[in-house]
Amino acid sequence: MNADGLSTAIIGLLMAIWLVAATVAIWYGLSLRRRASKSLRQTARLGRLLETAPAVPVVVRGDGRIEASDRFSRLLGLNHNAETINDLQNGKDSGIADDDFAGLDSKIRETQRTGSNFSQALRIAGSERRMLVIGGIADPVIYPNGAALLWFFDLTDNLREWEKVKIEAEEAKAAFAAISGLIEEAPMPIWHRGPDYRLNFVNRAYVKAVGAHNNVDAVEQGLELIEESDGHSEQAFAAAAYKSGQVQERHVSSTLDGNRRQMRVFDIPLGAVGVGGLAIDIQELSDAQRQYHRLSEAQRGLLDMMSAGVAQFDADRTLSFANLPFQRLFALRDNWLSDRPEFARLLDRMRENSKIPEVRDFPEWRTEKEKWFLSADPDEENWLLPDGTHLRVLAQPMPGGGLLLIFEDRTEQAQLASARDILLRVRTATFDNLFESVAVFAADGRLSIWNRRFADIWGLEEELLARHPRLDELLPILAKLLKKPAQISVVAEILRMTTANREQRKSRVSFADGRIFQISTVPLPDGNALFTMLDMTDSVEVEQALRERNEALSEADAMKSRFLANMSYEFRTPLTSISGFADLLKAGIAGELNGQAMEYIEAILASAERLSQQINTVLDYSQSQVGALPIAKEPVDIAVLLQELVASHGEFAASRGIDLALDMSSAPGIIEGDGRRLTQTIGHILDNALRYSREDGRVIIVTQNQKNELAIIISDDGPGMNEKAQAAVFDTFSRSKNGVGDNGLGLPLARQLIESHGGTLELYSKENQGTSVIMRLPKA
C-alpha cells in the first residue's frame, strides 16, 4: 500500500472515529439535556410547592447569611429581601419583634453549635401577625458547615380562633360558675343524681332541709329529702324519669326544718349525666288556695244574703255562680243553673221568662251584650222589664276574661223618684196658692224658689225669675215699689243676717200704693233662707186675730196642765193596785215563786216605783205652775242628805264604771227647807249627771259656803251642750241632744223647787267638756 493510500485510510479512520465520537457526544448531550429539563421541572414543582406550603423554610449559615424566598420577606412585612439574620429585625414597623428576635438568635446559634431542635412563637412588629418557628440542623451533605434549617408557620388565624375559643371557654366557665352559684344559693332544694341514681350533688337549701353539716355529708350519707311514697323511693322516681326521658312532677308532703310542708317535686332527665331534681315549697300556696276557697264560699254566702242579683261567668262564657236573689229575680231554677249554661243561653231563658227589656231585634241585642266580655271598662245600663220592674245592670269585665253581672232592683227608688216629682209639683202648687209671698234665697244670695204671689207682689217677670237672679240684682227693682226706696236696705240686711248668723228676723215694709207687709226670714237646714211676706194692710183684723190666737194658745196650755194633773191622778189608782199585787206575789201569798218569776216581780215593782216618781213629778210640776206646791220649812242637814244620795246612787255609778265623789271640805251646815223636796231636786240632778256622763268618767259633788248662801255643785265629764241646747234645757218637755239628756219635767221642776226655797239653779256646759249644775240656797 502506497503512502497516499495509507494516509487516506488513516484519515478515513480518523474521520470515522470522530464521527462515532461526535455521535456519542451528541447522544450524551441530548441525554443530559433531557435530565436537566426533568430536574428543572421538578425544581419548579418543588419551588411552587414550597411557595404554597403552610411553612416557609429558611437556611441560616454559620456566618449569619440566610437563604429564603421572597415570600419570607413579605411574611415578615419587610420591604427588601433579607440576606442576613440581622435583617429579620427591622424596628417597630416590620420584622420580628425585638424581644422575640433576641431569643431566636440565641436558639439558632445553639442549634448550629449542638444540632439540637427548638420551637418558638414570634410576634411581628407593627401588626397582629403571630408565627411559630421550628428549627433544627440542616442536612450536612448540602450545608456541611453547620447551617440551621428553620421552618416558619403563620399562626395568626389559628391564634385568633384559639383566642375566640379561649374567650368562649372563659364565658362558659363564668356562666357555669354563675349557674352553680345560683343553684347553690337557690332557696329551694336542688340535687343531681348520677347514672346510678345516687345523689351526686346537693345545694345549700337541700343540706339545710335534711339537717346535714354540708354538701359532702349529705351526698356521702345519701340523705333523701322526700320520704318513700306508695312504696317507691326517690331513686325509683328518678329512674322512671330517666327511662321515660320526660320530666316527672308530683306533689308530696315532706318535713323541712322540723315542719311538715307540701312540696312540688320535679325529676328532670339530663341524658347520660343522670337526673336532676328540685323541690318547691307550695305550703303557702296550698294555704292560700284553701283560704281562697274559704273566702269564695264566704263571699258566695254573703252574695246570697244581698238584695242585688249577682251572676259570674268564666272566660268560656259559662255561668260559674248565681246568688239566690238572681235566681228569684229572673225566675230561674237551681237545677237548670247547675248545668252552667252559656251567657247567650241564659239570655234566651231570661227572654222566655219576660225578664229582659222589650227589644225589636233580640239577636242583635244579645250580640251587643256579649261584647261585655271583650270590654276593658265596666258598663252600666237601666232595664225596664215588661212587668214594670226597674233594674240597674252593672257589667264588670274580670281580669281572667270572665264577666260579673250585678242586677239591682231599683223599682222602689223609681217609685220614690216619681213620688218626689209629684211632691215637688204639689209643693209648687201649694206655694203658688199660699196667701203669703214665699221665696227662698241661697247662701250666695241667689233666688232659688218662689211662688206666684211673690212675683205678683213685686211685679217681677217670669223671664227674670227663671234666670234665678241674685239679691243685689233684684234690690233696685224692688226698691221702686216701696214708699221709702231706702227701706229696701232693711230687706237686704235681714236676709244677710239670716244666712250669715242663722237667725230669724222680722220687719215691716210699706209699699207706695199703701199696702203694708210683714217680712220674715227663717234659716233653713241646708244653709238657705226662707223669705216670707204677709199682707198687714188690715192691721186691726190681723192684731185681733193674733190676740185671739194667743188666748187660744193660753187656754190650750192651761188645758194641757189640767190634763196632766187629771191624768196623773187617774194613773195613780191602777199603779197602786199593780204595786200592791206585786208586793203580795213577792211575799208569797200566791205560793212560792221561782227565780225567774221573782225577777219579773222585781222588774214590775221597779217600773211601778219609777212610774210613781214620774207621776209625782208631774203632779208637783202642775202644782208649782199654779203656786200650790207645799214647801215645808224645817232644819235640813245638807251633809247627811248628800251622803245618803251618794250611797243610794253608788251602785248605779259603779255599774257604769263612773267615779262618784263627794267633796264637803267646806262644811255645808244646816239650812231651812223641805228635806224631801231638796232630796228630790238634788237626786234628779245627780241621776242626770250619772246617766249622761261617759263610761269610766267622773261625777263630783262639791259644797261651798259663800257669804249668806250655800252652793251645791254637781259636775260631770259628759258630752256637754251648746248654747242653743242650754237655752232650751229648762223648757217643759225639752230634749237635749248633747248634755243633760231627755229632761221631761225634771229640770224645770228642780229649778222651781230651788227657787221656792229662795235659791237659784244655774247650768254651765260646753260641748265635749261636760256640764256643771250650781244650786245656791240661803243659809238658816
Side-chain angles (χ1 to χ4, degrees):
M1 179 179 300
N2 55 17
D4 293 335
L6 183 59
S7 298
T8 301
I10 293 171
I11 292 172
L13 180 59
L14 290 174
M15 289 295 292
I17 293 172
W18 178 82
L19 180 60
V20 171
T23 300
V24 171
I26 291 172
W27 178 83
Y28 184 71
L30 291 173
S31 177
L32 290 177
R33 181 179 179 183
R34 285 195 299 270
R35 281 185 289 178
S37 297
K38 184 178 180 181
S39 298
L40 288 175
R41 287 195 299 271
Q42 290 179 348
T43 301
R45 285 196 299 270
L46 291 175
R48 182 59 181 169
L49 184 62
L50 290 176
E51 285 291 331
T52 58
V56 178
V58 177
V59 176
V60 182
R61 296 181 181 274
D63 57 0
R65 288 185 298 110
I66 65 174
E67 295 181 7
S69 64
D70 296 342
R71 177 188 172 195
F72 178 68
S73 299
R74 292 194 302 271
L75 193 63
L76 298 182
L78 301 175
N79 52 11
H80 61 279
N81 291 333
E83 297 181 355
T84 65
I85 187 66
N86 293 328
D87 292 342
L88 302 182
Q89 184 182 13
N90 193 32
K92 298 181 179 181
D93 297 332
S94 60
I96 301 173
D98 295 344
D99 51 351
D100 292 343
F101 177 79
L104 178 64
D105 183 57
S106 174
K107 290 181 179 180
I108 290 175
R109 295 183 185 280
E110 183 178 356
T111 297
Q112 290 174 340
R113 186 175 61 256
T114 63
S116 61
N117 299 327
F118 71 91
S119 63
Q120 181 182 349
L122 301 176
R123 292 178 293 108
I124 305 303
S127 70
E128 296 181 355
R129 188 179 297 277
R130 298 290 184 270
M131 303 191 73
L132 175 66
V133 58
I134 299 176
I137 195 69
D139 189 351
V141 177
I142 302 175
Y143 298 100
N145 296 325
L149 176 60
L150 308 180
W151 291 91
F152 286 82
F153 295 87
D154 188 353
L155 300 181
T156 303
D157 294 337
N158 293 337
L159 287 175
R160 288 175 180 172
E161 290 295 328
W162 180 80
E163 290 177 355
K164 181 179 179 181
V165 171
K166 181 180 179 181
I167 293 173
E168 291 177 351
E170 291 177 351
E171 291 177 350
K173 184 178 180 181
F176 179 79
I179 293 175
S180 299
L182 178 62
I183 293 174
E184 180 66 20
E185 298 298 330
M188 64 191 72
I190 300 177
W191 62 90
H192 173 260
R193 300 179 186 275
D196 56 355
Y197 310 126
R198 298 179 63 184
L199 287 176
N200 186 33
F201 164 80
V202 295
N203 68 344
R204 187 176 302 173
Y206 189 102
V207 173
K208 181 180 179 181
V210 299
H213 296 294
N214 50 47
N215 305 55
V216 177
D217 183 31
V219 172
E220 289 180 351
Q221 296 186 35
L223 300 177
E224 294 292 348
L225 176 67
I226 310 299
E227 299 90 344
E228 290 189 2
S229 176
D230 298 332
H232 295 83
S233 64
E234 285 299 294
Q235 294 182 355
F237 285 111
Y242 182 81
K243 293 176 181 178
S244 65
Q246 296 180 351
V247 177
Q248 301 292 324
E249 177 185 352
R250 63 188 188 279
H251 292 249
V252 298
S253 296
S254 180
T255 302
L256 299 182
D257 297 332
N259 298 318
R260 200 66 177 171
R261 312 286 290 181
Q262 287 290 325
M263 307 293 292
R264 187 179 182 185
V265 182
F266 295 87
D267 290 299
I268 307 170
L270 303 177
V273 297
V275 180
L278 60 91
I280 302 175
D281 187 347
I282 59 171
Q283 184 64 43
E284 294 182 358
L285 177 61
S286 299
D287 294 341
Q289 288 176 342
R290 285 193 293 269
Q291 184 177 7
Y292 170 76
H293 289 309
R294 288 194 298 267
L295 290 175
S296 297
E297 293 299 324
Q299 182 185 28
R300 294 191 174 189
L302 178 62
L303 291 176
D304 282 337
M305 299 175 62
M306 292 177 58
S307 60
V310 179
Q312 186 172 352
F313 297 85
D314 291 336
D316 58 358
R317 302 189 180 184
T318 59
L319 181 69
S320 59
F321 171 75
N323 68 349
L324 295 178
F326 177 83
Q327 300 178 33
R328 291 193 296 265
L329 188 61
F330 294 101
L332 299 172
R333 296 180 179 274
D334 184 66
N335 55 358
W336 186 81
L337 293 175
S338 62
D339 293 336
R340 297 173 58 91
E342 293 184 353
F343 179 72
R345 184 182 169 197
L346 180 63
L347 292 181
D348 292 339
R349 178 58 63 92
M350 292 165 61
R351 183 192 183 196
E352 294 174 2
N353 295 341
S354 299
K355 294 298 182 180
I356 65 170
E358 295 181 351
V359 293
R360 179 177 301 176
D361 189 347
F362 173 73
E364 181 180 356
W365 180 85
R366 182 180 57 192
T367 302
E368 181 181 351
K369 302 311 168 194
E370 289 178 341
K371 294 180 181 178
W372 283 342
F373 286 89
L374 306 177
S375 176
D377 300 318
D379 194 5
E380 182 177 343
E381 293 183 357
N382 291 310
W383 289 6
L384 176 59
L385 304 187
D387 59 0
T389 302
H390 291 259
L391 294 181
R392 174 177 174 263
V393 183
L394 178 63
Q396 174 67 56
M398 304 299 289
L403 181 68
L404 179 67
L405 291 180
I406 301 176
F407 298 88
E408 181 183 0
D409 189 348
R410 306 196 69 179
T411 305
E412 185 176 353
Q413 289 89 329
Q415 293 173 350
L416 290 175
S418 177
R420 176 181 175 275
D421 293 339
I422 294 174
L423 289 175
L424 289 176
R425 290 195 295 268
V426 170
R427 184 197 68 179
T428 302
T430 303
F431 278 9
D432 287 342
N433 290 280
L434 286 176
F435 180 74
E436 294 88 349
S437 167
V438 178
V440 177
F441 287 89
D444 60 354
R446 189 175 297 278
L447 179 65
S448 59
I449 301 175
W450 65 94
N451 67 350
R452 187 178 302 150
R453 185 160 179 77
F454 176 82
D456 293 341
I457 290 174
W458 294 103
L460 300 174
E461 297 292 337
E462 189 66 29
E463 182 180 354
L464 172 64
L465 296 175
R467 292 191 287 107
H468 298 279
R470 295 174 61 88
L471 181 61
D472 52 4
E473 183 181 352
L474 289 175
L475 290 178
I477 302 174
L478 305 183
K480 297 177 182 179
L481 300 178
L482 299 182
K483 184 176 182 179
K484 295 180 180 180
Q487 198 178 10
I488 196 65
S489 62
V490 177
V491 178
E493 181 63 19
I494 64 173
L495 278 171
R496 186 189 68 79
M497 293 293 293
T498 300
T499 55
N501 300 338
R502 314 302 298 157
E503 298 176 354
Q504 296 186 18
R505 293 289 178 175
K506 291 183 179 182
S507 183
R508 288 187 179 184
V509 293
S510 299
F511 277 54
D513 58 4
R515 291 179 297 171
I516 300 175
F517 289 89
Q518 177 180 312
I519 58 176
S520 301
T521 56
V522 180
L524 298 178
D526 58 358
N528 297 341
L530 175 65
F531 177 84
T532 62
M533 294 178 62
L534 181 62
D535 191 347
M536 299 291 293
T537 305
D538 196 353
S539 59
V540 176
E541 294 181 0
V542 171
E543 289 176 3
Q544 182 64 28
L546 289 176
R547 283 194 297 270
E548 293 175 356
R549 181 178 294 178
N550 184 55
E551 292 174 358
L553 290 175
S554 299
E555 180 61 21
D557 187 67
M559 290 177 63
K560 177 198 69 178
S561 298
R562 291 194 298 271
F563 171 78
L564 289 176
N566 293 333
M567 289 303 296
S568 298
Y569 282 114
E570 293 295 328
F571 280 135
R572 185 180 296 276
T573 300
L575 182 61
T576 302
S577 299
I578 293 172
S579 299
F581 284 119
D583 286 330
L584 292 175
L585 290 174
K586 182 178 181 181
I589 297 300
E592 185 177 358
L593 302 178
N594 58 28
Q596 187 174 9
M598 187 62 70
E599 290 179 3
Y600 291 158
I601 294 300
E602 294 289 348
I604 292 172
L605 290 172
S607 299
E609 178 63 22
R610 182 169 180 82
L611 182 56
S612 178
Q613 293 176 2
Q614 295 295 331
I615 292 173
N616 290 334
T617 300
V618 173
L619 291 175
D620 291 342
Y621 181 74
S622 300
Q623 290 178 333
S624 68
Q625 287 285 84
V626 297
L629 182 65
I631 301 295
K633 293 294 183 179
E634 58 186 6
V636 178
D637 189 341
I638 297 298
V640 174
L641 185 149
L642 293 178
Q643 290 171 352
E644 291 177 351
L645 284 174
V646 169
S648 63
H649 288 78
E651 183 178 354
F652 177 69
S655 66
R656 300 192 70 233
I658 297 174
D659 180 15
L660 177 57
L662 175 61
D663 181 2
M664 294 190 297
S665 56
S666 177
I670 307 296
I671 68 169
E672 288 289 334
D674 191 328
R676 186 175 68 85
R677 299 298 184 186
L678 289 175
T679 300
Q680 178 184 3
T681 301
I682 301 173
H684 181 79
I685 300 298
L686 179 58
D687 183 71
N688 240 21
L690 292 172
R691 189 175 303 278
Y692 294 98
S693 179
R694 62 181 177 84
E695 293 187 2
D696 301 326
R698 178 179 174 83
V699 175
I700 184 170
I701 306 174
V702 180
T703 60
Q704 295 179 355
N705 284 304
Q706 301 173 350
K707 295 183 180 180
N708 297 324
E709 62 183 13
L710 171 66
I712 302 174
I713 306 170
I714 300 179
S715 302
D716 65 69
D717 55 359
M721 295 181 288
N722 55 30
E723 294 181 358
K724 183 176 179 181
Q726 293 179 54
V729 75
F730 292 106
D731 293 343
T732 307
F733 303 111
S734 66
R735 181 180 293 272
S736 172
K737 296 180 180 178
N738 300 331
V740 179
D742 187 3
N743 304 320
L745 297 174
L747 283 178
L749 177 60
R751 190 174 208 174
Q752 289 189 7
L753 290 175
I754 293 295
E755 290 176 351
S756 67
H757 282 79
T760 61
L761 187 148
E762 300 174 348
L763 183 143
Y764 298 94
S765 182
K766 288 187 178 181
E767 287 187 305
N768 301 320
Q769 295 185 18
T771 303
S772 295
V773 177
I774 303 175
M775 294 166 282
R776 291 184 173 89
L777 296 169
K779 292 183 178 179

